[in-house]
Amino acid sequence: TGGGQGILLPPAYKLYEFYYQMLIMTIILTILAYFIKRSSFGYALSSIKDDEDAARSFGINTFLYKMAVLSISGFFLGIIGGLYAEFLTYIDPYVAFADIPLLVAILSTIMGGLGEVSGPIFGSLIYVPLMEYLWISFPYIYLIILGLSLVIIIRFMPNGILTHIAKIQNKLASYQIKEK
């Protein structure tokens, strides 16, 4: 693969194809995550997340479940990475292990809501345009602003914006019921 120099791929100027491929992968992964979360597999994973020793004591093979999740996520990340490399037409270690895409994924997930299927999607709909705006407006300090936004969200909305919005909706609904 060219080692540290990377590898050039044949150029394929098909932006629409890349967009639709990623859209299809997003839909597939969202549906898969929805069904996994509501299945016995998802409940086992949730119990492992909450207390691994307790899950093991109830007979859940935690190693097997962790390996299954690692395999599923690795499979889909490999497909997405291949599509991304084809889109860039060049891949090297710096591009493959860049920190900004990882930071965007983590911050979008945290912003939207951890543990929710729609959380990362909602978070990315807010975070990515915000990041692009800050990158254009404040090119030298946008990473500092994004880091501060992460600290503020973790401090004041640790479960994400969706959970915070749901709490507000519940308060408004209970206020309207009391008003009647």
Side-chain angles (χ1 to χ4, degrees), residues 78-127:
I79 291 172
I80 291 170
L83 293 173
Y84 187 61
E86 182 183 8
F87 169 71
L88 291 178
T89 68
Y90 176 76
I91 190 83
D92 69 349
Y94 179 74
V95 171
F97 302 108
D99 54 350
I100 298 297
L102 178 65
L103 182 67
V104 169
I106 291 170
L107 289 177
S108 296
T109 303
I110 290 172
M111 185 176 282
L114 296 171
E116 297 294 326
V117 173
S118 58
I121 295 170
F122 184 75
S124 65
L125 289 175
I126 295 171
Y127 186 75

Short mmCIF file of all heavy atoms in Angstrom, two decimals, residues 78-127:
data_model
loop_
_atom_site.label_atom_id
_atom_site.label_comp_id
_atom_site.label_asym_id
_atom_site.label_seq_id
_atom_site.Cartn_x
_atom_site.Cartn_y
_atom_site.Cartn_z
N GLY A 78 -15.05 -0.97 7.94
CA GLY A 78 -14.20 -1.32 6.80
C GLY A 78 -14.84 -0.94 5.48
O GLY A 78 -14.18 -0.42 4.58
N ILE A 79 -16.13 -1.20 5.36
CA ILE A 79 -16.84 -0.83 4.13
C ILE A 79 -16.85 0.69 3.96
O ILE A 79 -16.54 1.21 2.88
CB ILE A 79 -18.27 -1.38 4.15
CG1 ILE A 79 -18.25 -2.90 4.03
CG2 ILE A 79 -19.11 -0.77 3.01
CD1 ILE A 79 -19.59 -3.56 4.21
N ILE A 80 -17.16 1.41 5.02
CA ILE A 80 -17.21 2.87 4.95
C ILE A 80 -15.82 3.44 4.67
O ILE A 80 -15.67 4.38 3.88
CB ILE A 80 -17.82 3.45 6.24
CG1 ILE A 80 -19.30 3.09 6.30
CG2 ILE A 80 -17.62 4.95 6.33
CD1 ILE A 80 -19.96 3.39 7.62
N GLY A 81 -14.79 2.87 5.29
CA GLY A 81 -13.42 3.32 5.03
C GLY A 81 -13.01 3.10 3.58
O GLY A 81 -12.34 3.93 2.98
N GLY A 82 -13.42 1.98 3.01
CA GLY A 82 -13.14 1.72 1.60
C GLY A 82 -13.83 2.72 0.68
O GLY A 82 -13.24 3.20 -0.29
N LEU A 83 -15.08 3.02 0.99
CA LEU A 83 -15.81 4.02 0.20
C LEU A 83 -15.15 5.40 0.32
O LEU A 83 -15.05 6.14 -0.65
CB LEU A 83 -17.27 4.09 0.64
CG LEU A 83 -18.12 2.85 0.36
CD1 LEU A 83 -19.49 3.00 1.01
CD2 LEU A 83 -18.24 2.62 -1.13
N TYR A 84 -14.71 5.73 1.54
CA TYR A 84 -14.07 7.03 1.77
C TYR A 84 -12.74 7.12 1.02
O TYR A 84 -12.42 8.15 0.44
CB TYR A 84 -13.88 7.24 3.27
CG TYR A 84 -13.38 8.61 3.64
CD1 TYR A 84 -14.12 9.75 3.34
CD2 TYR A 84 -12.18 8.78 4.29
CE1 TYR A 84 -13.67 11.01 3.68
CE2 TYR A 84 -11.72 10.03 4.65
CZ TYR A 84 -12.47 11.14 4.34
OH TYR A 84 -12.02 12.38 4.68
N ALA A 85 -11.97 6.04 1.03
CA ALA A 85 -10.69 6.03 0.30
C ALA A 85 -10.92 6.19 -1.19
O ALA A 85 -10.18 6.89 -1.88
CB ALA A 85 -9.94 4.73 0.59
N GLU A 86 -11.96 5.54 -1.71
CA GLU A 86 -12.29 5.68 -3.13
C GLU A 86 -12.70 7.12 -3.44
O GLU A 86 -12.36 7.67 -4.49
CB GLU A 86 -13.41 4.72 -3.50
CG GLU A 86 -13.77 4.77 -4.96
CD GLU A 86 -14.93 3.86 -5.31
OE1 GLU A 86 -15.56 3.31 -4.40
OE2 GLU A 86 -15.21 3.73 -6.51
N PHE A 87 -13.41 7.76 -2.51
CA PHE A 87 -13.83 9.14 -2.70
C PHE A 87 -12.63 10.08 -2.72
O PHE A 87 -12.54 10.99 -3.55
CB PHE A 87 -14.81 9.54 -1.60
CG PHE A 87 -15.11 11.00 -1.53
CD1 PHE A 87 -15.87 11.62 -2.51
CD2 PHE A 87 -14.62 11.78 -0.50
CE1 PHE A 87 -16.15 12.96 -2.45
CE2 PHE A 87 -14.89 13.13 -0.43
CZ PHE A 87 -15.66 13.73 -1.41
N LEU A 88 -11.68 9.87 -1.79
CA LEU A 88 -10.51 10.75 -1.71
C LEU A 88 -9.51 10.50 -2.84
O LEU A 88 -8.73 11.40 -3.17
CB LEU A 88 -9.79 10.55 -0.38
CG LEU A 88 -10.51 11.04 0.86
CD1 LEU A 88 -9.67 10.73 2.10
CD2 LEU A 88 -10.79 12.53 0.78
N THR A 89 -9.52 9.32 -3.42
CA THR A 89 -8.60 8.85 -4.46
C THR A 89 -7.15 8.82 -3.99
O THR A 89 -6.23 8.69 -4.80
CB THR A 89 -8.69 9.68 -5.77
OG1 THR A 89 -8.20 10.99 -5.54
CG2 THR A 89 -10.10 9.71 -6.30
N TYR A 90 -6.94 8.95 -2.70
CA TYR A 90 -5.60 8.88 -2.14
C TYR A 90 -5.74 8.48 -0.68
O TYR A 90 -6.60 8.99 0.03
CB TYR A 90 -4.89 10.23 -2.24
CG TYR A 90 -3.54 10.24 -1.59
CD1 TYR A 90 -2.46 9.64 -2.22
CD2 TYR A 90 -3.34 10.83 -0.37
CE1 TYR A 90 -1.21 9.64 -1.64
CE2 TYR A 90 -2.08 10.83 0.22
CZ TYR A 90 -1.03 10.23 -0.41
OH TYR A 90 0.20 10.22 0.18
N ILE A 91 -4.89 7.59 -0.25
CA ILE A 91 -4.94 7.18 1.15
C ILE A 91 -3.51 7.02 1.66
O ILE A 91 -2.65 6.46 0.99
CB ILE A 91 -5.77 5.89 1.33
CG1 ILE A 91 -6.04 5.59 2.78
CG2 ILE A 91 -5.13 4.71 0.68
CD1 ILE A 91 -7.19 6.34 3.32
N ASP A 92 -3.24 7.61 2.80
CA ASP A 92 -1.96 7.45 3.48
C ASP A 92 -2.23 7.40 4.98
O ASP A 92 -3.38 7.60 5.41
CB ASP A 92 -1.00 8.57 3.10
CG ASP A 92 -1.38 9.93 3.64
OD1 ASP A 92 -2.51 10.09 4.15
OD2 ASP A 92 -0.56 10.85 3.57
N PRO A 93 -1.24 7.13 5.80
CA PRO A 93 -1.51 7.02 7.24
C PRO A 93 -2.09 8.29 7.85
O PRO A 93 -2.94 8.21 8.75
CB PRO A 93 -0.13 6.71 7.83
CG PRO A 93 0.60 6.04 6.73
CD PRO A 93 0.11 6.69 5.47
N TYR A 94 -1.66 9.44 7.39
CA TYR A 94 -2.19 10.69 7.95
C TYR A 94 -3.68 10.84 7.66
O TYR A 94 -4.46 11.24 8.51
CB TYR A 94 -1.42 11.89 7.41
CG TYR A 94 -1.94 13.20 7.94
CD1 TYR A 94 -1.68 13.59 9.25
CD2 TYR A 94 -2.72 14.04 7.17
CE1 TYR A 94 -2.17 14.78 9.77
CE2 TYR A 94 -3.22 15.22 7.66
CZ TYR A 94 -2.93 15.58 8.97
OH TYR A 94 -3.43 16.75 9.47
N VAL A 95 -4.10 10.49 6.44
CA VAL A 95 -5.51 10.57 6.06
C VAL A 95 -6.31 9.48 6.77
O VAL A 95 -7.41 9.72 7.27
CB VAL A 95 -5.66 10.47 4.53
CG1 VAL A 95 -7.12 10.33 4.13
CG2 VAL A 95 -5.05 11.67 3.86
N ALA A 96 -5.75 8.28 6.83
CA ALA A 96 -6.48 7.15 7.41
C ALA A 96 -6.70 7.32 8.91
O ALA A 96 -7.73 6.88 9.44
CB ALA A 96 -5.72 5.85 7.14
N PHE A 97 -5.76 7.95 9.59
CA PHE A 97 -5.87 8.09 11.03
C PHE A 97 -5.96 9.56 11.46
O PHE A 97 -5.47 9.93 12.52
CB PHE A 97 -4.68 7.42 11.71
CG PHE A 97 -4.56 5.97 11.38
CD1 PHE A 97 -3.57 5.50 10.54
CD2 PHE A 97 -5.48 5.06 11.88
CE1 PHE A 97 -3.47 4.16 10.22
CE2 PHE A 97 -5.40 3.72 11.57
CZ PHE A 97 -4.39 3.27 10.74
N ALA A 98 -6.59 10.38 10.65
CA ALA A 98 -6.75 11.80 10.96
C ALA A 98 -7.63 11.95 12.19
O ALA A 98 -8.58 11.20 12.41
CB ALA A 98 -7.34 12.54 9.77
N ASP A 99 -7.32 12.95 12.99
CA ASP A 99 -8.05 13.12 14.24
C ASP A 99 -9.34 13.94 14.09
O ASP A 99 -10.26 13.76 14.88
CB ASP A 99 -7.15 13.75 15.30
CG ASP A 99 -6.51 15.05 14.83
OD1 ASP A 99 -6.60 15.36 13.63
OD2 ASP A 99 -5.92 15.75 15.66
N ILE A 100 -9.45 14.78 13.11
CA ILE A 100 -10.64 15.61 12.97
C ILE A 100 -11.89 14.78 12.66
O ILE A 100 -12.94 14.99 13.30
CB ILE A 100 -10.43 16.72 11.91
CG1 ILE A 100 -9.29 17.65 12.34
CG2 ILE A 100 -11.70 17.51 11.68
CD1 ILE A 100 -9.54 18.43 13.62
N PRO A 101 -11.88 13.83 11.72
CA PRO A 101 -13.10 13.02 11.51
C PRO A 101 -13.50 12.24 12.76
O PRO A 101 -14.69 12.11 13.05
CB PRO A 101 -12.72 12.08 10.37
CG PRO A 101 -11.63 12.77 9.65
CD PRO A 101 -10.87 13.52 10.69
N LEU A 102 -12.52 11.75 13.50
CA LEU A 102 -12.82 11.03 14.74
C LEU A 102 -13.45 11.98 15.76
O LEU A 102 -14.44 11.65 16.42
CB LEU A 102 -11.56 10.40 15.31
CG LEU A 102 -11.71 9.65 16.62
CD1 LEU A 102 -12.61 8.45 16.43
CD2 LEU A 102 -10.35 9.22 17.13
N LEU A 103 -12.90 13.18 15.86
CA LEU A 103 -13.45 14.18 16.78
C LEU A 103 -14.87 14.56 16.38
O LEU A 103 -15.74 14.69 17.25
CB LEU A 103 -12.54 15.42 16.78
CG LEU A 103 -12.92 16.56 17.71
CD1 LEU A 103 -12.76 16.12 19.16
CD2 LEU A 103 -12.07 17.77 17.42
N VAL A 104 -15.13 14.70 15.10
CA VAL A 104 -16.47 15.03 14.63
C VAL A 104 -17.46 13.93 14.99
O VAL A 104 -18.57 14.20 15.47
CB VAL A 104 -16.47 15.28 13.11
CG1 VAL A 104 -17.88 15.35 12.55
CG2 VAL A 104 -15.72 16.55 12.79
N ALA A 105 -17.06 12.68 14.80
CA ALA A 105 -17.95 11.56 15.14
C ALA A 105 -18.24 11.51 16.63
O ALA A 105 -19.39 11.33 17.05
CB ALA A 105 -17.32 10.24 14.67
N ILE A 106 -17.23 11.69 17.44
CA ILE A 106 -17.42 11.64 18.89
C ILE A 106 -18.28 12.80 19.36
O ILE A 106 -19.23 12.62 20.14
CB ILE A 106 -16.06 11.63 19.62
CG1 ILE A 106 -15.34 10.31 19.35
CG2 ILE A 106 -16.23 11.87 21.11
CD1 ILE A 106 -13.90 10.29 19.82
N LEU A 107 -17.98 14.00 18.91
CA LEU A 107 -18.74 15.17 19.35
C LEU A 107 -20.18 15.13 18.84
O LEU A 107 -21.10 15.55 19.56
CB LEU A 107 -18.06 16.45 18.89
CG LEU A 107 -16.76 16.79 19.62
CD1 LEU A 107 -16.13 18.03 19.03
CD2 LEU A 107 -16.97 16.96 21.09
N SER A 108 -20.40 14.63 17.64
CA SER A 108 -21.77 14.51 17.13
C SER A 108 -22.58 13.54 17.97
O SER A 108 -23.74 13.79 18.29
CB SER A 108 -21.77 14.04 15.67
OG SER A 108 -21.16 14.99 14.85
N THR A 109 -21.96 12.43 18.35
CA THR A 109 -22.63 11.44 19.18
C THR A 109 -22.94 12.00 20.55
O THR A 109 -24.05 11.84 21.06
CB THR A 109 -21.77 10.17 19.30
OG1 THR A 109 -21.51 9.67 17.99
CG2 THR A 109 -22.47 9.12 20.12
N ILE A 110 -21.97 12.66 21.16
CA ILE A 110 -22.19 13.23 22.49
C ILE A 110 -23.24 14.34 22.43
O ILE A 110 -24.10 14.44 23.30
CB ILE A 110 -20.86 13.75 23.07
CG1 ILE A 110 -19.94 12.58 23.41
CG2 ILE A 110 -21.10 14.60 24.31
CD1 ILE A 110 -18.55 12.98 23.80
N MET A 111 -23.18 15.17 21.39
CA MET A 111 -24.14 16.26 21.28
C MET A 111 -25.56 15.74 21.09
O MET A 111 -26.49 16.24 21.72
CB MET A 111 -23.76 17.18 20.12
CG MET A 111 -24.64 18.42 20.02
SD MET A 111 -24.09 19.53 18.72
CE MET A 111 -22.73 20.33 19.50
N GLY A 112 -25.72 14.74 20.25
CA GLY A 112 -27.06 14.21 20.00
C GLY A 112 -27.60 13.42 21.17
O GLY A 112 -28.75 13.56 21.55
N GLY A 113 -26.79 12.57 21.73
CA GLY A 113 -27.22 11.77 22.86
C GLY A 113 -26.64 10.37 22.81
O GLY A 113 -26.81 9.65 21.83
N LEU A 114 -25.95 10.01 23.87
CA LEU A 114 -25.38 8.67 23.97
C LEU A 114 -26.49 7.67 24.26
O LEU A 114 -27.40 7.93 25.03
CB LEU A 114 -24.33 8.63 25.08
CG LEU A 114 -23.12 9.52 24.87
CD1 LEU A 114 -22.27 9.55 26.14
CD2 LEU A 114 -22.30 9.02 23.71
N GLY A 115 -26.40 6.51 23.64
CA GLY A 115 -27.36 5.46 23.89
C GLY A 115 -28.65 5.57 23.10
O GLY A 115 -29.54 4.75 23.22
N GLU A 116 -28.77 6.57 22.28
CA GLU A 116 -29.94 6.75 21.42
C GLU A 116 -29.56 6.46 19.98
O GLU A 116 -28.49 6.84 19.53
CB GLU A 116 -30.48 8.18 21.53
CG GLU A 116 -30.97 8.56 22.90
CD GLU A 116 -32.19 7.77 23.31
OE1 GLU A 116 -33.02 7.44 22.44
OE2 GLU A 116 -32.30 7.45 24.50
N VAL A 117 -30.43 5.80 19.25
CA VAL A 117 -30.15 5.49 17.85
C VAL A 117 -30.12 6.77 17.02
O VAL A 117 -29.25 6.95 16.16
CB VAL A 117 -31.19 4.49 17.29
CG1 VAL A 117 -31.01 4.29 15.80
CG2 VAL A 117 -31.09 3.17 18.02
N SER A 118 -31.04 7.67 17.28
CA SER A 118 -31.10 8.90 16.49
C SER A 118 -30.16 9.99 17.02
O SER A 118 -30.02 11.03 16.38
CB SER A 118 -32.54 9.43 16.47
OG SER A 118 -32.98 9.66 17.79
N GLY A 119 -29.52 9.76 18.14
CA GLY A 119 -28.64 10.76 18.74
C GLY A 119 -27.50 11.21 17.84
O GLY A 119 -27.33 12.41 17.60
N PRO A 120 -26.70 10.28 17.31
CA PRO A 120 -25.61 10.71 16.43
C PRO A 120 -26.07 11.40 15.16
O PRO A 120 -25.42 12.32 14.67
CB PRO A 120 -24.88 9.40 16.10
CG PRO A 120 -25.24 8.48 17.20
CD PRO A 120 -26.62 8.86 17.64
N ILE A 121 -27.21 10.98 14.63
CA ILE A 121 -27.73 11.63 13.42
C ILE A 121 -28.14 13.06 13.74
O ILE A 121 -27.78 14.01 13.03
CB ILE A 121 -28.91 10.83 12.84
CG1 ILE A 121 -28.42 9.47 12.37
CG2 ILE A 121 -29.57 11.58 11.69
CD1 ILE A 121 -29.51 8.51 12.00
N PHE A 122 -28.90 13.23 14.81
CA PHE A 122 -29.33 14.56 15.22
C PHE A 122 -28.13 15.43 15.57
O PHE A 122 -28.07 16.60 15.19
CB PHE A 122 -30.29 14.44 16.42
CG PHE A 122 -30.87 15.73 16.86
CD1 PHE A 122 -31.86 16.34 16.13
CD2 PHE A 122 -30.41 16.35 18.01
CE1 PHE A 122 -32.40 17.55 16.54
CE2 PHE A 122 -30.94 17.55 18.43
CZ PHE A 122 -31.94 18.15 17.69
N GLY A 123 -27.18 14.85 16.29
CA GLY A 123 -25.98 15.60 16.66
C GLY A 123 -25.17 16.04 15.46
O GLY A 123 -24.66 17.16 15.42
N SER A 124 -25.07 15.18 14.46
CA SER A 124 -24.30 15.57 13.27
C SER A 124 -25.02 16.62 12.45
O SER A 124 -24.38 17.44 11.78
CB SER A 124 -23.98 14.34 12.41
OG SER A 124 -25.16 13.78 11.90
N LEU A 125 -26.36 16.61 12.48
CA LEU A 125 -27.10 17.65 11.76
C LEU A 125 -26.87 19.03 12.39
O LEU A 125 -26.98 20.04 11.70
CB LEU A 125 -28.59 17.33 11.74
CG LEU A 125 -29.00 16.16 10.85
CD1 LEU A 125 -30.49 15.85 11.03
CD2 LEU A 125 -28.67 16.43 9.40
N ILE A 126 -26.55 19.05 13.65
CA ILE A 126 -26.23 20.32 14.33
C ILE A 126 -24.74 20.60 14.25
O ILE A 126 -24.30 21.70 13.90
CB ILE A 126 -26.67 20.28 15.81
CG1 ILE A 126 -28.17 20.16 15.91
CG2 ILE A 126 -26.16 21.50 16.57
CD1 ILE A 126 -28.66 19.91 17.31
N TYR A 127 -23.95 19.60 14.57
CA TYR A 127 -22.52 19.80 14.78
C TYR A 127 -21.74 20.06 13.50
O TYR A 127 -20.87 20.93 13.47
CB TYR A 127 -21.93 18.60 15.53
CG TYR A 127 -20.51 18.81 15.91
CD1 TYR A 127 -20.18 19.64 16.96
CD2 TYR A 127 -19.49 18.21 15.20
CE1 TYR A 127 -18.87 19.86 17.30
CE2 TYR A 127 -18.18 18.42 15.53
CZ TYR A 127 -17.87 19.25 16.59
OH TYR A 127 -16.58 19.48 16.92
#
